[in-house]
Amino acid sequence: MADSWQRQLRRAARSLDELRARFLPGLEITPEMREAERRFPTAVTEHYASLVERPDFSDPIFRQCVPSGEELVPAPWASRDPLAEEPCSPLPRLVRRYPDRAVLLACDACACRCRHCFRKRVSARGGPAVSDAELAAVARWLRANPRVEDVLVSGGDPLVLPDARVAAILGALRSVPTVRVVRIATRLPATLPARFTRGLVRILAAARRGGGPAVFVSAHFNHPRELAPEAAEACARLVDAGIPVQNQAVLLRGVNDDPATMEALCRALYRIRVRPYYLFQADLAEGIEHLRTPLATGLRIMARLRANLSGPAIPNFCLDPPGHAGKIELAPATVARRVRGTTEVRAGDGTPFRYPDPV
Ligand SMILES: *Cc1c(COP(=O)(O)O)cnc(C)c1O
C-alpha cells in the first residue's frame, strides 16, 4: 500500500515552506503569511492541494487552507471559543448545549487545518487522542445522563485516528443503551478521501448491528471543486453501507458566498446522495474577518436556493451563537404581517398571498 491514507496523512505539508516545496510551487510567501502561520499552524494534504487551480487567495481551495496576512486583522468580537463550549463541558472532552445531544471531542488533530476553524483552541493544541480511561468516563457520564441520546463525535477530526481507536470510540458509545444516534463529524471526505477504506466503512456500519446506535457521517464540503471523484467515491461507499451522509458547509467570503457557487455545491451533493444539512454563518472566531460575510449575503443566497433547488437539496442556514440559545435558523422573511383574521405571506419572488385563519 504505497499510497495508504496513513502515508498521505503523514506526508501532509505542515508549513508554508513545505507547501511551496512539495505541492504548490507557485506559492508566494509574505512575512504577514508567516506571522499568520505562527498563530495557527498550516496543514494541507496533497489531495487537497491538488484541487487548487490558482496558487493565490482568489482560489477558493487555496483560500481555505493557506495562512493569509488578513488573519492578523483584529476584531473586537473575535473569540478563541466563539461558541462558549468550555463553560458547557461536563467532562473535559464533552460539550453539552442541548438536553438530548452532546459532542465528544475525540482528538485534536486534523488532516488539513481549515483557516476558518472555529475550534482552533482544540486543533492547535496538539494533545493526545481520547484514551480508554477517558472513554470509560464518557460512557459512565452518558449512563448517568440517559436523556443524551445523540452523540456527535468531533474534534479535531476523529477519523484521522486509526481504525482501532475509531472502533474503541464506537464500542464505548454502543455500551450505553440510551445512546441511539452517533454522528461523526469529519472533513476527510474533502481533504483525505482515501481514509474511507472498506475496513473503516465496515467498522462504522457494524456499530448499528445488534441494536447499536444509528451512525451518520457529517461531512464538510464548502465548494463544488472539493467534490472530486475520490470524494464522491468515499461518500458513495458510506451511503452504500447504510450510513447516511449529510453536509455542514460554512459560508465563507471569496469561497462560496455567491448564489451560483452555493447552488452548484448543493446540487452536486444531492446528486451523490449527500444531503445538504446546514449552511453555517461563520462564527466569531479569531483570524477570520476576511472570510466572514454579512448576514444579508446568506439570506440572498437562501432565496436563490429556495427558488431553484429541490427541497432535499436546500440546507438550513444557521447562526450558532455562544451559550445555551442553540442554533438560530435564518430564513428570508416569508411571513409579512397579520391583518384581521389573515396572515400575509410572501413567495420567494415577493408575490403576496393572504392566508385566512380557520372560520
Ligand atoms: C450543533 C451542535 C449540536 C447538534 O445540533 P443539531 O442541530 O442537532 O445538528 C449538538 N451539540 C452542540 C454543542 C452543537 O454545537
Side-chain angles (χ1 to χ4, degrees):
M1 290 268 273
D3 214 18
S4 67
W5 72 268
Q6 291 96 333
R7 186 166 175 279
Q8 291 185 36
L9 181 62
R10 249 190 335 268
R11 287 183 39 83
R14 294 187 197 282
S15 69
L16 283 163
D17 289 315
E18 263 185 52
L19 191 56
R20 180 174 56 193
R22 304 215 340 257
F23 304 150
L24 294 176
L27 175 63
E28 282 178 38
I29 305 175
T30 65
E32 290 75 25
M33 288 162 71
R34 291 194 190 278
E35 177 57 29
E37 169 171 64
R38 267 194 290 281
R39 296 192 189 181
F40 183 56
T42 308
V44 185
T45 57
E46 182 164 18
H47 172 79
Y48 200 66
S50 79
L51 306 177
V52 170
E53 287 176 356
R54 300 176 301 275
D56 64 57
F57 291 103
S58 71
D59 183 282
I61 306 297
F62 186 97
R63 203 170 164 80
Q64 290 181 78
C65 64
V66 179
S68 157
E70 291 187 279
E71 293 174 27
L72 308 176
V73 173
W77 40 79
S79 161
R80 58 179 282 287
D81 183 13
L83 306 189
E85 292 184 317
E86 281 177 354
C88 305
S89 292
L91 294 178
R93 293 199 181 261
L94 271 190
V95 179
R96 186 199 198 178
R97 279 168 53 201
Y98 297 94
D100 63 332
R101 280 155 277 174
V103 179
L104 168 60
L105 301 175
C107 73
D108 296 355
C110 287
C112 270
R113 289 177 186 274
C114 304
R115 305 319 295 179
H116 56 278
C117 181
F118 76 90
R119 229 180 247 143
K120 291 181 176 122
R121 74 176 200 284
V122 171
S123 52
R125 178 170 70 185
V130 65
S131 67
D132 287 335
E134 286 172 320
L135 282 177
V138 166
R140 224 176 301 123
W141 186 90
L142 288 167
R143 255 179 241 116
N145 291 273
R147 279 188 75 190
V148 175
E149 64 164 67
D150 184 355
V151 178
L152 287 71
V153 183
S154 187
D157 194 314
L159 296 186
V160 300
L161 298 176
D163 285 357
R165 209 79 294 265
V166 175
I169 293 167
L170 289 170
L173 298 175
R174 260 174 70 85
S175 76
V176 185
T178 46
V179 172
R180 305 302 175 90
V181 177
V182 173
R183 288 188 265 170
I184 300 177
T186 176
R187 178 90 157 119
L188 299 189
T191 57
L192 190 68
R195 174 66 184 103
F196 296 87
T197 58
R198 282 180 210 292
L200 176 69
V201 172
R202 215 176 297 122
I203 289 167
L204 299 181
R208 196 165 65 88
R209 301 231 174 83
V215 176
F216 289 69
V217 164
S218 295
H220 175 181
F221 292 106
N222 290 331
H223 189 275
R225 209 193 292 157
E226 294 175 350
L227 283 165
E230 299 88 341
E233 170 64 24
C235 294
R237 280 191 183 177
L238 291 165
V239 178
D240 286 347
I243 300 159
V245 183
Q246 47 194 17
N247 191 60
Q248 306 196 133
V250 183
L251 184 56
L252 297 169
R253 188 169 133 215
V255 172
N256 57 16
D257 64 334
D258 69 286
T261 303
M262 193 56 74
E263 183 182 329
L265 173 65
C266 293
R267 232 176 239 295
L269 289 165
Y270 184 43
R271 286 183 190 146
I272 62 166
R273 300 175 290 170
V274 175
R275 166 92 160 87
Y277 172 46
Y278 274 137
L279 171 60
F280 285 118
Q281 178 68 21
D283 296 312
L284 300 176
E286 289 172 327
I288 71 159
E289 284 306 286
H290 61 298
L291 295 171
R292 293 202 305 120
T293 52
L295 281 184
T297 304
L299 292 171
R300 201 176 58 240
I301 290 171
M302 288 308 293
R304 157 84 172 251
L305 300 186
R306 276 265 156 245
N308 290 7
L309 284 177
S310 307
I314 302 173
N316 302 306
F317 178 39
C318 274
L319 173 66
D320 206 349
H324 301 272
K327 294 175 180 59
I328 300 172
E329 183 168 3
L330 305 164
T334 52
V335 178
R337 57 190 170 131
R338 302 250 329 134
V339 205
R340 279 192 322 284
T342 66
T343 305
E344 190 178 298
V345 295
R346 282 176 194 283
D349 64 357
T351 313
F353 169 70
R354 282 197 177 171
Y355 182 84
D357 289 342
V359 174

